[in-house]
Amino acid sequence: VGLDQTTQLSLRPQIIELGVGQPDPRLLPGDCMRAATAAMLAAGWEPLAYGANAGPENLLSQLALRIAQSEREPSLSEMIVTGGNSQALDELCTLLAQPGDAVLVEAPSYNFALQILRDHRLQLVTVPVDENGLVPDAVDDVLRTLHEKGTRPAFLYTIPTFHNPTGVSLTLPRRRQLLAIAASNDLWVVEDDVYRDLVYSGSAPPSLWTLDDAESVIRLGTFSKVLAPGVRVGWMTAPRKIITQLVGGGLRMSGGGPSHFAAMAVAEFMAAKRFEPHIEHLRASYCGRRDELSAALDDLIPEAQHQRPAGGYFVWVKLPRSFDTEELLPIAEDAGVAYVPGQRFYTGGSGNRYLRLSFSMYSPQMLRDGVLRLRTALDRAGA
Amino acid sequence: VGLDQTTQLSLRPQIIELGVGQPDPRLLPGDCMRAATAAMLAAGWEPLAYGANAGPENLLSQLALRIAQSEREPSLSEMIVTGGNSQALDELCTLLAQPGDAVLVEAPSYNFALQILRDHRLQLVTVPVDENGLVPDAVDDVLRTLHEKGTRPAFLYTIPTFHNPTGVSLTLPRRRQLLAIAASNDLWVVEDDVYRDLVYSGSAPPSLWTLDDAESVIRLGTFSKVLAPGVRVGWMTAPRKIITQLVGGGLRMSGGGPSHFAAMAVAEFMAAKRFEPHIEHLRASYCGRRDELSAALDDLIPEAQHQRPAGGYFVWVKLPRSFDTEELLPIAEDAGVAYVPGQRFYTGGSGNRYLRLSFSMYSPQMLRDGVLRLRTALDRAGA
């Protein structure tokens, strides 16, 4: 694993890159994908033709059955295959929003999702996240303020389960409260549900989409974290009218479903019963990494606060008041460790005491070494 | 080949579907793609990781060399891998245009591209196409009118080579005139160059991008017609500042390059020297189909006018004044043949004497049978 121009991964040789929120290449299922792709191409020409606008039914029907096991079963008319959650969010921006529209986002939230929204020239209006997730009362307040100004937000973008960057999950009472607010305000909720299957303690909370009975929620799922990001395949479960508009839109009428070739390979991967054992393997691997990173923080940087996340990729660390994590970053890199400074997940410059560590890329031993290097950086910064 | 929910192809059993602008499934390179995909997955984990934002360099560098052979060599900073031309056009709408902006389009033009532009809530302003392609003087007139209204169009969308639906190519003098107009008006030209490699008579005219020395042209190329639409892989050659903005945008910062897994397979396909022989095979096959469709029209429907196209997929047929091709369609379908009525390629209801026939999907014999059925329909419509 090194620097290359084939993938997005560019690791600096002397640095433990705890900023990188990507799967460990050693955990990518190369052999199984090779078997699945060979089987798919032996079976016929279909992976090479324009894909069905909603995605291949073979993939959709397997996903529907899988979702039914832990949530509720979506009908095929409530589902669509996407080109991953980033592309799905991009499609939704075009469908639901116009430049200048307000969009509600969490503070903090996934930095590149914020950038996708900004690229569509949307006005980001923030709602705070605390240790129980997004604060519904604050959503209510913001909606009232916007209403008084005569505007209505295009949608709320939220990551309620194993949140990026904080790792927290929205509590069940808050989920219900948020859905009630969405229903009474006719607010679309875009639920980025990227980490649901990477659960290490207990089980994942029910998705907003599962709990929704007002057709407010568009839920985005993806194979990026549980299979392979390179396939660029995800799915959406959403109200019929959203699916209908996406299926009949110019983008899909012209080009068919996104990532069709890879979507067919993923369908074959699932049909070969390789998906569940692979997820189990990932959970076991990442769980050990999470535990070690959390323990190392407790052991080596006891003055920093963090919650051990129940799932996902990230530990969100709060440093004592005297540190600024943007200023600390070059010192940390000198000491051989990197992270993402907290400010990048906020729109307005706050978050400077926070940093995001990812435990997905490294072995437990390397994670402990990374924390040791962060300890060194903190000592050198000498606050 | 039949009706299915895996691909976009849904062929009605009793109908010769001359409306379908897709490659013949029998001409898709299944065996070669199987070998390429197996080799790619044996070589490493890279196809499964997030792809480089601009696309895998291995694909870009092979494309650059190939383009250099017949055009001019783009530097890697002037190129990006796309998810096919539809997705590329969608990305450009988000980058270059705001809802309500005017966009210049040809009349007629590719119907689903028009729909992508409409989905972005752009205002379509048409410029006529004649037997020499887009009329540059008309572009000048429209720009002047828009300027007087105080607006400037976001871009011109054009298909100058083997145009969809008319099959005509913009002449070289008009290419130069159009580029001069674009340069002096600071107008972005989005060149949809989808059919360049499918040339059957002589060689394709130089792309607008090749002739452009004012950094006005964004050229969209794709593997959809010359390899396989299911891979959803294309490329863009464009001024550096466009590439830089796309590479650094939220969509690619978050998800990496589109269709990465398939893009890596296409790179392997090219590296194995399978691409040029495959294109030669396609040219030979489609050339025979074009010739037969054109000859059958001359033989069987001499009162209809058409130009035999030098490349691409389509023959654009003009019927005598007494016919309306929207009204004729159900009669034609009863007679066992389908086409796309001309009106669908116009924004304002004209084109009702035209119809578009595609020769990509069927053998010469079937194409002649299709024209015979169209003859029957015309006789039944009895105008």
Side-chain angles (χ1 to χ4, degrees), chain A residues 43 91 108 171 185 224-225 233 274 287 292 308 312-313 357 372:
Chain A
E91 267 189 277
T171 60
N185 286 275
S224 289
K225 309 301 182 189
V233 178
R274 297 173 196 276
C287 182
E292 184 65 13
R308 198 182 68 161
Y313 270 6
L357 302 177
L372 199 59

Side-chain angles (χ1 to χ4, degrees), chain B residues 113-147:
Chain B
L114 300 180
Q115 196 183 339
I116 290 170
L117 301 174
R118 279 198 205 97
D119 289 349
H120 282 267
R121 304 175 189 87
L122 304 176
Q123 181 201 338
L124 307 188
V125 179
T126 58
V127 186
V129 169
D130 67 19
E131 66 280 8
N132 294 312
L134 175 67
V135 181
D137 287 338
V139 174
D140 213 23
D141 289 346
V142 166
L143 288 172
R144 193 166 304 118
T145 306
L146 287 173
H147 184 72

Side-chain angles (χ1 to χ4, degrees), chain A residues 327-339:
Chain A
E327 290 173 11
L328 181 67
L329 184 57
I331 301 167
E333 288 174 339
D334 270 353
V337 65
Y339 55 80

Side-chain angles (χ1 to χ4, degrees), chain B residues 293-315:
Chain B
L293 179 62
S294 180
L297 284 165
D298 283 340
D299 295 345
L300 300 169
I301 315 182
E303 72 271 35
Q305 296 167 33
H306 77 278
Q307 276 191 321
R308 198 182 68 160
Y313 271 3
F314 306 114
V315 175

Side-chain angles (χ1 to χ4, degrees), chain A residues 5-6 8 34 37 42 48-50 52-53 57 86 94-95 110 115 119 121 225 230 248 250 252-254 261, chain B residues 5-6 8 34 37 42 48-50 52-53 57 86 94-95 110 115 119 121 225 230 248 250 252-254 261:
Chain A
Q5 311 254 334
T6 300
Q8 219 181 33
R34 193 162 60 188
T37 309
L48 297 175
Y50 284 102
N53 291 9
E57 195 170 302
S86 314
T94 301
L95 181 67
Y110 172 43
Q115 196 183 340
D119 288 349
R121 303 176 189 86
K225 309 301 182 189
R252 287 167 184 263
M253 287 303 288
S254 178
F261 183 78
Chain B
Q5 311 255 333
T6 300
Q8 221 182 29
R34 193 161 62 189
T37 309
L48 297 175
Y50 284 102
N53 291 9
E57 194 171 302
S86 315
T94 301
L95 182 65
Y110 171 44
Q115 196 183 339
D119 289 349
R121 304 175 189 87
K225 309 300 183 188
R252 287 167 184 262
M253 288 301 290
S254 178
F261 182 78

Side-chain angles (χ1 to χ4, degrees), chain A residues 6-88:
Chain A
T6 300
T7 74
Q8 219 181 33
L9 206 56
S10 69
L11 302 177
R12 292 164 291 184
Q14 304 304 323
I15 291 180
I16 299 176
E17 303 273 14
L18 303 184
V20 175
Q22 299 186 25
D24 185 344
R26 289 162 298 190
L27 294 175
L28 294 170
D31 290 339
C32 294
M33 278 300 286
R34 193 162 60 188
T37 309
M40 148 187 114
L41 283 166
W45 52 268
E46 288 82 355
L48 297 175
Y50 284 102
N53 291 9
E57 195 170 302
N58 178 20
L59 179 56
L60 290 169
S61 55
Q62 290 185 79
L63 277 169
L65 286 175
R66 184 168 195 276
I67 291 166
Q69 286 169 14
S70 60
E71 308 190 56
R72 67 175 175 85
E73 184 166 356
S75 76
L76 291 189
S77 59
E78 293 175 298
M79 300 180 74
I80 198 168
V81 172
T82 70
N85 284 12
S86 314
Q87 201 188 306

Side-chain angles (χ1 to χ4, degrees), chain B residues 75-333:
Chain B
S75 76
L76 292 189
S77 59
E78 295 175 298
M79 299 180 73
I80 198 169
V81 172
T82 70
N85 284 13
S86 315
Q87 201 188 305
L89 181 58
D90 187 76
E91 267 190 276
L92 289 172
C93 286
T94 301
L95 182 65
L96 300 175
Q98 304 222 17
D101 277 0
V103 171
L104 304 192
V105 297
E106 295 164 321
S109 186
Y110 171 44
N111 51 334
F112 294 131
L114 300 180
Q115 196 183 339
I116 290 170
L117 301 174
R118 279 198 205 97
D119 289 349
H120 282 267
R121 304 175 189 87
L122 304 176
Q123 181 201 338
L124 307 188
V125 179
T126 58
V127 186
V129 169
D130 67 19
E131 66 280 8
N132 294 312
L134 175 67
V135 181
D137 287 338
V139 174
D140 213 23
D141 289 346
V142 166
L143 288 172
R144 193 166 304 118
T145 306
L146 287 173
H147 184 72
E148 283 163 9
K149 290 187 195 167
T151 65
R152 223 164 54 89
F155 56 84
L156 161 69
Y157 170 76
T158 175
I159 312 163
T161 303
F162 315 138
H163 181 259
N164 180 1
T166 67
V168 302
S169 289
L170 193 64
T171 61
L172 190 58
R174 282 197 181 179
R175 284 175 194 252
R176 296 198 191 282
Q177 189 188 351
L178 177 63
L179 289 169
I181 291 167
S184 63
N185 286 275
D186 217 4
L187 175 71
W188 286 114
V189 176
V190 176
E191 176 181 29
D192 190 345
D193 203 19
V194 51
Y195 298 107
R196 165 161 305 277
D197 281 307
L198 294 180
V199 54
Y200 318 123
S201 308
S203 57
S207 64
L208 294 172
W209 174 77
T210 302
L211 300 171
D212 176 33
D213 52 17
E215 307 229 310
S216 301
V217 180
I218 302 163
R219 186 265 297 273
L220 311 183
T222 177
F223 289 98
S224 289
K225 309 300 183 188
V226 289
L227 199 154
V231 295
R232 299 285 75 221
V233 178
W235 63 90
M236 206 183 276
T237 57
R240 251 167 264 262
K241 61 183 164 187
I242 294 289
I243 302 299
T244 304
Q245 287 180 82
L246 292 174
V247 167
L251 181 59
R252 287 167 184 262
M253 288 301 290
S254 178
S259 305
H260 176 65
F261 182 78
M264 293 287 287
V266 171
E268 188 70 35
F269 184 96
M270 290 184 82
K273 308 287 178 211
R274 299 174 196 274
F275 193 43
E276 305 308 330
H278 178 66
I279 289 180
E280 282 308 319
H281 176 58
L282 290 182
R283 278 192 197 121
S285 302
Y286 289 138
C287 181
R289 295 174 185 202
R290 174 201 65 162
D291 290 346
E292 184 65 14
L293 179 62
S294 180
L297 284 165
D298 283 340
D299 295 345
L300 300 169
I301 315 182
E303 72 271 35
Q305 296 167 33
H306 77 278
Q307 276 191 321
R308 198 182 68 160
Y313 271 3
F314 306 114
V315 175
W316 184 236
V317 179
K318 185 180 188 178
L319 296 182
R321 191 174 304 279
S322 47
F323 290 99
D324 180 306
T325 57
E326 279 286 0
E327 289 173 11
L328 182 67
L329 185 57
I331 301 167
E333 289 175 339

